[in-house]
Amino acid sequence: MRTSPPSPSSRRKLISAAAVSAALLTAGTATIAAAQEPSGQESAVPAALTEAAPGAPAERLIVGYKSGAAEATSNKAAAADAAAKGKEAGEDVDFRRRLGTGAALVDLGAEPTRGEVADVIAEFTADPQVAYVVPDRLNQPKADPNDTEYSKQWDLFEATAGMRVPGAWNVSTGSGVTVAVIDTGYVAHSDLAANIVGGYDFIADTAVSVDGNGRDSNPADPGDWYNANECGSGIPASSSSWHGTHVAGTVAAATNNGKGVAGIAYGAKISPLRVLGKCGGYDSDIIDAITWASGGSVSGVPANTNVAKVINMSLGGDGACTSATQSAINAAVNRGTTVVVAAGNESDNVANHSPGNCNNVISVAATNRSGAKASYSNYGSLVDISAPGGQTSTGTANGILSTLNSGTKTPSTESYAYYQGTSMATPHIAGLVALMKSASPSLTPAQIESAIKSNARALPGSCSGGCGAGLADAAKTVQAVSGGGSTGGTTFSSTSAVSIPDNSTAITSSIAVSGLSGNAPSTLKVAVDITHTYRGDLVIDLVAPDGSTYRLKSSSGSDSADNVNTTYTVDASSEAANGTWKLKVQDVAAQDTGTLNSWKLTF
């Protein structure tokens, strides 16, 4: 606690560009240290609201007062309020100046801890006359990571079908979160090594493990190659995949290290758990890995000192989700670990493939570089979300680039390679979950899934059969859970494109809503994505299950802009939530046509 305010010159430290970079690159250390601060209020205030930059606690706050409050117009009243709030929090808080918007800028002094900032924010937030209080955030010129292959990672940043990851990095890099990659293990790679923590080799069968022993604490990947017919009659020979290392690189490759690729949650740690070897891996090993990763105990295996809050399973098999696997998943989720799984690559309904069809998981479909469902990806109502998985049939560079090894059988030199698959889409979501948990550690798995879905954007391309809530949007989702947006509720989507004829009868698209109770909310969100030249021609209505119609957009002869890509809010509190909702779109003037690409309802 500071008992007397120093002079303004000594209180204010200047932050150089170099210092900012250092703060960003050491966010993991700063966050871990901050988590140990004893503050009664800190846990109630998201980390992002206490920081000027990741890892750097805010020294100033911007306070907006409600209209009619004396502090909204009187500097004297604002100064008195700042001092009073500071006294209540046990800190020195000074009014500095009035901003052009009328908000007050208040100063907390040099080098406050995150806990001290949180205490002051809590005092302002509790005041009914305060409309908002936000950190005076530090902005920098936006530069791409300096990783040499970053320009090839379209899946992170491209406007068409990238997951908008860079926009999340100013809020979170995943620091303080461990992601368990349940896969083939890990082959040494200098672009990953800094983010690897202890894992385990769960393969009990030595014929599968091919490392000369059964279970042990070494999850090194010796290679999973096999000869023709060795894994079944008619199955051709295959080189080692180094699959787990490719997946891990997408999640958390070292970033801004002047080499290789960037990881989505590059501040997070990877715990490699080896369950897949020659010809695959058994449910029994995977079940134990899920249990151990999430903090459960497994007979004969030491306690896990790197408990994961996120599990990535880019693996699968045919058939229903067994009770044994479902039980392990449920227990992991109950321990607070989010389980992210691949929908599968059979171009089939995910209902036929486990663990993508299990409950209590986030099941991920894959999209290609144009934002359509990748040709191989599974689909269906059990898919929760889509993410970039690539499609190399349209060009190698349209795959997902990540860390690998050049060895065809046993490990050789480290390398990078393009892969495709829902196996590649899944770590995009696991990385996003790590960003979310770092930004808001109290999030539950259910809240995480809901936020990812409700903040997704409409699939840029087509999907037949169901691709979940849309294409995950990292920037929007992380901003939402850190206090800058809505985490939303349950989302139902239609991604089946419907042509809108010129100056003709209305077209409709339906969404079946089930599993909810009571009526729809007074703030029902209706997100609409329509491609149409001269959008003024369009009339758009929401039709409730009982036939009631809510006008979303009227026609306008003066609105010559193209396309409708927006979210409407409807008071549907008089309507039952469950039932078939319809979006009705009509072109009422000549010369322009378009397409209803997708729409969704968030309750």
Side-chain angles (χ1 to χ4, degrees), residues 458-461 494-498 529-531 564 595-599:
L459 220 61
S494 172
T495 55
S496 299
V498 183
D529 181 2
I530 294 174
T531 302
V564 178
T595 303
L596 169 61
N597 301 308
S598 63
W599 67 291

Side-chain angles (χ1 to χ4, degrees), residues 25 27-29 32 173-181 192-199 248 251-254 264-272 305-312 430-431 434-435 438:
L25 293 174
T29 303
I32 292 170
T173 63
S175 60
V177 178
T178 296
V179 181
V181 174
L192 257 176
N195 285 336
I196 297 293
V197 296
V251 177
I264 290 171
Y266 60 82
K269 300 299 182 185
I270 297 291
S271 174
T305 58
N306 298 295
V307 174
K309 289 303 179 186
V310 192
I311 287 174
N312 187 103
L435 295 177
S438 179

Side-chain angles (χ1 to χ4, degrees), residues 41-55:
Q41 298 286 356
E42 184 178 353
S43 62
V45 179
L49 293 185
T50 67
E51 297 177 331

Side-chain angles (χ1 to χ4, degrees), residues 331-530:
V333 170
N334 288 339
R335 285 189 283 267
T337 298
T338 299
V339 182
V340 186
V341 303
N345 303 326
E346 292 79 17
S347 190
D348 186 24
N349 196 309
V350 68
N352 301 319
H353 304 276
S354 174
N357 57 8
C358 293
N359 295 321
N360 255 352
V361 301
I362 299 177
S363 185
V364 186
T367 53
N368 59 26
R369 197 165 180 173
S370 67
K373 183 185 80 67
S375 59
Y376 54 79
S377 178
N378 287 349
Y379 52 83
S381 61
L382 295 180
V383 169
D384 294 301
I385 195 70
S386 294
Q391 189 166 323
T392 56
S393 63
T394 59
T396 301
N398 292 335
I400 305 300
L401 184 66
S402 188
T403 46
L404 211 72
N405 191 277
S406 64
T408 57
K409 290 187 175 180
T410 58
S412 182
T413 57
E414 65 179 42
S415 64
Y416 301 86
Y418 292 96
Y419 273 8
Q420 67 171 17
T422 55
S423 281
M424 285 58 255
T426 304
H428 283 76
I429 300 302
L432 172 54
V433 175
L435 295 177
M436 297 166 70
K437 283 292 288 185
S438 179
S440 184
S442 64
L443 288 172
T444 66
Q447 290 170 331
I448 286 170
E449 179 177 342
S450 177
I452 290 174
K453 289 180 176 180
S454 63
N455 289 288
R457 57 185 171 118
L459 220 61
S462 62
C463 172
S464 176
C467 286
L471 180 62
D473 186 322
K476 185 178 178 183
T477 304
V478 172
Q479 185 69 22
V481 300
S482 64
S486 171
T487 57
T490 304
T491 297
F492 298 83
S493 304
S494 172
T495 55
S496 299
V498 183
S499 296
I500 304 170
D502 184 35
N503 194 22
S504 185
T505 56
I507 59 96
T508 60
S509 175
S510 300
I511 293 177
V513 175
S514 62
L516 303 181
S517 60
N519 286 359
S522 60
T523 56
L524 177 65
K525 303 296 184 184
V526 187
V528 178
D529 181 2
I530 294 174

